[in-house]
Structures are given as structure tokens and as C-alpha cells.
Amino acid sequence: MVQYTDRLKYLRISNNLSQKDVANLLGCSQVAYGMYELGKRKISVEKLIILARFYNVSLDYITGLKDE
């Protein structure tokens, strides 16, 4: 099963965004966001919802429960 960390990175790169860009959207530092992508820091549900809305995908997609 795909990890949410892989999906975060895939979505960011496929939208031609830097970690800094996404960090600004979430109101956190680039270092904090980088740790989310590496799985070294847990991301909150609230931040996942922001990302799902921004990327126009479901939480199930981000978390790897669905591939669409």
C-alpha cells in the first residue's frame, strides 16, 4: 500500500511546487513540511484536509486507501 508520505511528495512534484510553497500554504516551515514528506513528523488531519482541497483529491487518496 502507498504511504501518505509518498503521496504528499508526488502531489507536490506533479504540481510543480517546492516544499517551501506547500509549507507556506500550510503555515509551517519548509523544514517541518520536509519532515512530513519523510515521515519523521506526523501531519495533522487539519493540514491533510487543506492539502486535499488544494490538490482537489480525497483524503482516501492522500492516505493511500484509494488510487483515484
Side-chain angles (χ1 to χ4, degrees):
M1 179 158 66
V2 175
Q3 297 293 316
Y4 78 92
T5 56
D6 297 328
R7 288 278 163 86
L8 292 179
K9 186 173 183 178
Y10 170 78
L11 287 166
R12 177 179 60 78
I13 291 171
S14 65
N15 283 276
N16 297 314
L17 298 169
S18 68
Q19 286 185 343
K20 182 71 173 166
D21 294 331
V22 180
N24 287 338
L25 172 72
L26 297 177
C28 65
S29 70
Q30 181 273 321
V31 172
Y33 181 75
M35 291 181 139
Y36 296 149
E37 282 192 4
L38 292 173
K40 294 187 176 193
R41 186 173 187 177
K42 299 288 183 186
I43 188 169
S44 69
V45 172
E46 292 80 10
K47 285 183 174 27
L48 285 175
I49 291 169
I50 292 168
L51 292 173
R53 288 180 176 158
F54 178 76
Y55 292 126
N56 197 29
V57 297
S58 69
L59 286 175
D60 284 348
Y61 177 77
I62 290 179
T63 59
L65 296 174
K66 290 188 178 179
D67 288 331
E68 303 174 357

